[in-house]
Every structure is written in C-alpha cells, then in structure tokens.
Amino acid sequence: MLKNYFKVAVRSLLKNRAFSLINIFGLAIGLAGFGLIYMYVDLELSYDKFHTDSHLLYRVTTDQVVENVVGTRDAESFAPEGKVLMDELPEITAYTTTQKLFGNFDLRIGEKLFTEKSVVAADTNFLRLFNYPIINGDMREPLKDPNTIILTTSIAKKYFGNEDPIGKIIHVYSGFNRPFTVVATIADVPENTHYKFDMLISFESIRERWERDEWGGFNYYTYIKVTEGSDMKALKTKMWALSEKYLSDQATLYFTPQPVEDIHLYSNITFEPEVHGSMKTVYFLGVIALFIIVIAWVNYINLSTAKAMDRAREVGMRKVVGAKKVQLISQFMMESVLINFLSAIIAITIIQLTSPAFNDLIGKQVLQGAWLNTQLLVAMLGLTFVGSILSGVYPAMILSSFKPVAVLKGKLRTSLKGILLRKGLVIFQFCTSLALIAGTMIVYIQIEYMRNRDLGIDTEQVLVVTEPSFGSADSLEERKLITFQNRVRQIASVAHVGSASSVPGSNSSDISSFSGGLRLDGEAESDRATFYAVYTDEKYADALGIKLLAGRNFIKSMALDTASAIINETVMERLGFNSPEDAVNHYVQLGSSDEAQRYTIIGVFRNFNRQTLKNSYEPTLFFYNESRSSGYQTVKFQGNDVRHAVTEIENVWYNLFPNAPFEYIFLDDKFDIAYREDRRFGLTFSIFAVLAIIIACLGLFGLSSFIAVQKTKEIGVRKVLGASVSSILYLLSKDFIKLVLYGLLIGIPVVFLGMDQWLDNYAFRIDFPWWVFLAAGMMLLLITLFTVSFQTLKAALSNPSKALRYE
C-alpha cells in the first residue's frame, strides 16, 4: 500500500509541476534559511557550556552600589579575592585568578619579531576549572613557575612548525623584557567561549604587579566553582558581607557572582575581555528564522487547500470504489512527506554551498560542512517530520472529507472556512513581511545614524600608533618617545602629534577607571559613581580636535599642571556646575580621604564619544602626563600625501624601536571596526528578511495563478460583455490589496513594540521613524501587485473564446 501511495504521490507532483516546484523550492529556501540561523543561534547559546560542570562556574564581578541602586558593574575584581572567598565560604570549592594582558604583546623568537593580542596570565588552578586539554608538556602544574608560558597548538605550529616547542625560549618585551620558557601546549580555544587566548603565562610572572595592587585596584578576572545545589542568593549575600569586610575604604563596591554561561549573551558590563553577544540579537534572528519556516509552510497549506477543487473528482472516484478516509489521508500525507523530504535535501545542499559566505557574514565559524554536521541533519530531519505533519494534515483532512455524491454531481463548493483560513494565512504573511521590511529599514537608519553622527572629535586623517611596552620605568625609552614625537612633527604632512593612555574607538578595557568617589573642594560627601581617567599631554586635544569649552589646555612649561585636571561636560554636570566657566579653578579629590591629592580644574572639554553610540558619555578626567609614555601616539595629518607620511613615520619608528613592531590604525577605521557587529547584524537581518519575502512571493504567485485559473470562465464572460483589461486586473487583485491592508493594521503595533525596544539598546538612538510604515506599506503593496500581476495580466489579456468554447 505504501508503494502505491508513493507512486500516486510522484505522479501527482509530476502532473502539477508548477505548483510542485513552488512548494518544493519555497520549502527548501525556508528550511535553508532556518537551518543557517539555527546553527548560529545554537552557537551563541552554547557559549562556555562545554566546560565540565559549567553550571557551577561563576565569575566574580565588582558592582558599585549606592543607596541600594546598582550603578557601574565591572567584570574585573581584586587579586586576593578568589582565595579569600574560597577560604571563608564553604560553598566555593575552587577558584582561579587571571589577568587579560590587553594591548600588544611583543615578543621575539630567534631573530623574528611577533605581536600577539590574546594573552592571559593565569594561576595553576585555571586549567582545572576550565578543562582545556594539555596536548604536550607538563601535565600537572604547567603554570607553577614564573617566566613560563603555554601555547595553543596553532600558535605553537605558527612559531615552531613541526618542532617540539617544549623547552623553547620566547623573549617577551611587553611589560617584561625577559625570556619565557614554553612548558606545555593545549588544544586551541574554541569559538564559543567569552575568554579567548592564544597564550597563557604563569600568574607568578606578574607577582610584583598583583602584590602591589592587593585590594587597591580591581584589574583581574576571578572565577569560582560552587557546590551542587548552592543557594546563590544566600551566597551573594555572604559575598557582599565579605566585600564590606575587605573593602572598608571603598564601601560602595561589592563582590557579585555571575554565571559563566550567561556572560556572552547577558553581560553588559565594563571591562569585558572581548566584545560580547546580545540575547536580543539572537532573539531577533530567531524570530526571523521562525517567520521564514512558517511562511514556507503557510505557502504549502494555502496552495494545497486552494487546489482541493482540482483533486475533488479524484477523491470522489476513490471513495466510490471503496477507499476509506484514513487511506485518503495517508495518500495525501505521503505527498506532504515527499515534498518536505525533497525540500530538505535541496535545503541541505543550499546550506552546504552558502555556509562559507554565511560564516564570513556572521564573522564566526558557525558551520563547516552541512552534510557531515550531525546536529544540522537531525534538525533538518525533525523539521521535515514536523513540517510534514503541520503542512500536510489540514489539506489531507479537507481533501479526504469531500462527499462523493456531491463531487460527481458537480455540486461541490468551496467552504467559507477554507476561504477564511487561506485569507488568514495570507494576512499573516503580509504582517510578517511588513515587520521584516520595516525592521530592515529601521536597522539601516540607526546604523547610518551612528556612522554619520558628530562624535565630538575629528576622526579623519588621524593615525593611532601603539607605543612599545617597556619592562620597567625606562627613562631612555621614554626619551626615545619624545624624540619620536619631535621627528614626526618635522614631517611636512603632519599637523599635530600627541600622546594619551586611551584613544576613542576603543572598548571599555582600554581606559583607566576609579570607583573610590570624586569629591569637590568644600564638599563633605563624594560622588560615588565610577569615573574614568585619561593621561595625556598638551597636544592630544589638538590632534583629535577636542573642543575646549572653558579654561585652558595643559601647558608643557607649567609645572603645576601635574596637579591639574581637565574634566568633560559629564563630570561637570555630576559635580553640580551649571556652566563650564563655573567649574574652572575649583579643586577635586579622588576618593573620600582628606589626604588624597587635590587637582585643580583648569578646563572643561566638550563631551565626545570614546566608544560607539551604544554607550553614553563617560564621566572622564584628563590628567597631564609629562613623560610622553602613555600608551598611544596620535598623529593628525594635513594635506593629501598621507601614505608617504605613514612610511616616513614607520622609518622613524624602527630607527628608535627596532625590537617593537610598528602597530598603527587610522582612527576612522578604528570606529568602523567598532561598528562591525552592528553592520553584520543589519546585513544579516536584511538578507534573511529578503529571503522571507521571496518565499512569501512564491506563495502569492502560486495562489494568484490558481485563482486566475478558477476565474477563467468568469473573466471570459466579463470580457464578452465589454469589461476592460484594467477592470479585470482590479477584479483579480482587489482581494490581495485588502489583505495587504489588514496585514498593515496588525503589523504596525507589532513592529513598533519590537523595534523600539531594539533601539533602546543604544544610548544615542534615532527617534522612532513613523514614516517607515508608509514606505514599507507601499513597498509591500508594490511587491504584491508585481507578484500577482504575471498571472492576472495573462488572464486579463486571454482570448475569451478559449474560456467559453465548451459552454
């Protein structure tokens, strides 16, 4: 019987080739789109879940709490924190303390210089909490001794080829200027972790640094492991109590446990080790994936139920010769299974062909090979089964319920319920299409707004050069930086050269901060918010075009400027001043202690965006750094001969710093990189929105084709009676136009609620553009009319004699 069902199903598909192709390719495109997004969403949701007992792993954050309100949250913590927590809290069974070494990590192997950017200092517990397998070398305590280093397998191959790297020497310059010994290699760190690295150096190598910091600065990442079933609410209360015990001088800071599994998608705090993801992005793409597959299934249901009249005589004959309802349902379900199965085969092939481009679009290795990915194949099999049931049951029930007597007498009429269902499904398609078109437009407008908005600084023709990291305070090297600046200023195309500890376009980790409070002279209480500090020279503001609203800039010859500060507008407002002029010549102190150094406010800078427009203005103080060794050199060019000037600067660099790679980037490119994730989201959203609309158009094309065929005789009669082509077109299109309008009425509030919430992710956002509904509605109407016009125009122009010859 199954063999017979299969034969009949194949014959039916071949007989109705046009409708079969629309169904199969519509479903295939829908399954392919869903499959690609599914793999991306699965990757995003899997972050850090590959660790053993990942649900028991927590990172300790430093939260600033003022009057029971959580303000700034910092991903970093204090060096002694992990040991204290484990010693005093029985729920904590293990800990590890690490430090991400931000910036360039300059090193030499033999005579070759290299620069790495993903290096972590870790203690011996790190590889116990995070189970990265050791491939070669010390298996027990590879990070026990100072000046030891662990490489990932790919980095080891990059430096030493097929040689055994164990025991090899790597001379590290940045912050050390001493040799390190390779003691082990580990497997490459996977994509789905928030804490990536290519090298691990022993925490003992930075002992002087963390012993100096102690409880004075939170510059480390602390991770803990808790016992199964721990009451995390109670543990948090205990940790807050310990905060008050050990941070009595910084009473607003509290230790808080954060699940490691939540960091990538739910963490929106400062000093993250890398750019994190967003659950809202995952949610939006997940909704698009759902729209795509549902629209494809809706097409199948619509076309199958619409063609029920063509299958009615077949059903009547089968029932007359004894076919039971269950047999008829089985027959039509076989057709549904066959269509869904063929669609799945084509979909997997499409995924296989498009996965490299999709990986580039997302910026991650989401999928390597579709046919060898068991998880994807299982998902496709599941979708085929679910799709066969969802898209096949209703048409099968409709077709098998026809009464043979009515069918054979020609008295069968389309049911009102069937018509209403098809209209409801088409309205759903129009509603989702509106949401996708309007959503794409809003995402594009917001991204363009961010790229073109005045940042408060001049980013054009500004070169940012990363300074070499000295092993210790080296006056000779610092004098070389002064020489570097002086020589670069002599280049004809250079207008200004300045130095600073932080430059715009960087992430939250590339700036100093302090949470001990900021106190204005004469005030008893200090402002307990987190403030940020930039150490700079007198030329930095000129290089970036930062506007001085009041007061003066730093002056090199003014010895008192080492005890002076320039604040931005945000600090000015927090201190309670009504105008920039009011703030000048007042004193501020960092921290609540009366003995803290006082700084004279000599000027107020206009606010500018140091990060992307997702972030609000940071309350920032600028301090004078006369040594010129800050972290970055900023070079402002004039004229058009920039490329030659960069070559000249590079020659000056290698003449002064032969052991340090010349690392540079233009400031506008730096901001462009910072917006890369937003652009990727916008492009991904747009591509899959277009994909969903194409699938919907396939369904509309098939449905309009069928309606045109059904109304062939009516069109013939109308044309004989003198109806014009335009009136015929209106007759066949008016129902679709009404459904578009219904879709608009339902879709507008849905789009507003969803996209307005998405825009709230940005501190600087556009006002909701209501005009997009008009634009999206007109676009949707034109797409609909264009799609159905192929068949309606064909029907309107047909010869009426052909339609009426058998009447």
Side-chain angles (χ1 to χ4, degrees), residues 203-217:
F203 204 63
E204 285 295 315
S205 304
I206 59 170
R207 169 178 281 277
E208 181 181 344
R209 189 181 308 175
W210 58 262
E211 284 185 343
R212 180 180 66 247
D213 286 343
E214 276 287 321
W215 296 105

Side-chain angles (χ1 to χ4, degrees), residues 285-434:
L285 291 179
V287 168
I288 291 178
L290 191 61
F291 280 172
I292 287 173
I293 194 64
V294 170
I295 288 172
W297 286 336
V298 163
N299 283 348
Y300 180 80
I301 295 172
N302 265 342
L303 292 176
S304 298
T305 54
K307 279 192 68 65
M309 295 294 292
D310 285 357
R311 305 290 297 273
R313 200 172 295 277
E314 174 193 343
V315 172
M317 289 299 298
R318 285 176 178 273
K319 283 196 171 185
V320 167
V321 297
K324 297 179 180 178
K325 186 171 183 176
V326 67
Q327 292 173 318
L328 291 170
I329 291 174
S330 299
Q331 172 64 61
F332 296 122
M333 285 300 297
M334 174 61 75
E335 292 182 22
S336 177
V337 170
L338 184 58
I339 287 174
N340 276 272
F341 180 75
L342 290 173
S343 301
I345 298 295
I346 297 172
I348 296 171
T349 304
I350 293 173
I351 293 173
Q352 177 77 35
L353 295 174
T354 59
S355 57
F358 182 71
N359 290 337
D360 290 339
L361 174 66
I362 296 297
K364 297 178 181 180
Q365 291 300 307
V366 177
L367 188 63
Q368 298 295 333
W371 286 106
L372 299 177
N373 191 301
T374 306
Q375 183 179 354
L376 178 64
L377 295 178
V378 170
M380 288 292 109
L381 182 63
L383 277 178
T384 301
F385 175 76
V386 173
S388 300
I389 300 297
L390 291 179
S391 60
V393 166
Y394 182 76
M397 294 294 290
I398 292 294
L399 291 168
S400 63
S401 65
F402 292 157
K403 294 180 180 180
V405 175
V407 170
L408 297 178
K409 285 184 177 181
K411 295 182 179 180
L412 185 65
R413 295 288 182 269
T414 303
S415 70
L416 179 62
K417 289 182 179 178
I419 293 173
L420 291 176
L421 174 68
R422 285 198 300 278
K423 286 185 176 180
L425 293 176
V426 172
I427 288 172
F428 169 79
Q429 288 185 318
F430 286 139
C431 181
T432 54
S433 297
L434 172 77

